[in-house]
């Protein structure tokens, strides 16, 4: 299960990287109107990469503390992602001027979110399992 979590985390990172590239190519922070707070746009991938590094440390050492720290990082990442997702949904349906995030393919957003939630569940189950051992 721990390597399934690693694979899911990497897949989520690839889908997120794709979305970040689309956002940047379509103007990113240089657009006059964006619904995405820059600190969340920067913090979301940074927290995800930091959590992934901690998860790799868990895989290397087997220490339950690393598994729980990675899970905590994922909670932060998921909350930031949910903020971005809700702002993306509001922007897609609103009458107001929209920013670069409007170029996101809905399929890519759905894959990224689904795989991220799957990662959260796998990491949580692994952390629970390693704690019991």
């Amino acid at each position: 299960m721990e390597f399934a979590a690693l694979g899911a985390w990497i897949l989520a990172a690839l889908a997120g990287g794709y979305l970040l590239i689309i956002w940047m190519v379509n103007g990113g922070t240089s657009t006059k109107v964006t619904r995405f707070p820059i600190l969340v746009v920067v913090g979301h991938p940074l927290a995800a990469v930091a959590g992934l590094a901690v998860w790799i440390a868990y895989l290397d050492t087997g220490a339950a503390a690393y598994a729980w720290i990675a899970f905590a990082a994922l909670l932060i990442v998921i909350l930031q992602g949910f903020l971005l997702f809700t702002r993306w949904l509001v922007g897609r349906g609103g009458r107001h001027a929209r920013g670069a995030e409007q170029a996101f393919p809905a399929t890519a957003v759905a894959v990224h979110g689904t795989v991220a939630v799957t990662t959260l569940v796998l990491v949580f189950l692994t952390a629970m399992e390693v704690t019991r051992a």
Side-chain angles (χ1 to χ4, degrees), residues 14-119:
L14 291 173
Y18 173 70
L19 291 171
L20 183 60
I21 289 169
I22 288 174
W23 187 73
M24 290 171 58
V25 165
N26 285 283
T29 59
S30 66
T31 58
K32 291 186 180 12
V33 176
T34 182
R35 296 185 182 278
F36 286 7
I38 192 64
L39 290 176
V40 178
V41 170
V42 172
H44 180 67
L46 287 179
V49 169
L52 178 57
V54 174
W55 186 251
I56 291 170
Y58 159 71
L59 292 175
D60 186 44
T61 65
Y66 286 136
W68 285 112
I69 293 168
F71 176 71
L74 267 178
L75 285 177
I76 292 167
V77 172
I78 294 285
L79 289 172
Q80 290 172 327
F82 186 72
L83 172 67
L84 293 170
F85 177 67
T86 55
R87 287 181 176 229
W88 175 75
L89 280 178
V90 168
R92 280 184 77 83
R95 298 185 326 255
H96 305 289
R98 297 185 269 276
E101 58 269 15
Q102 295 312 303
F104 291 164
T107 304
V109 173
V111 167
H112 179 61
T114 302
V115 176
V117 170
T118 301
T119 304

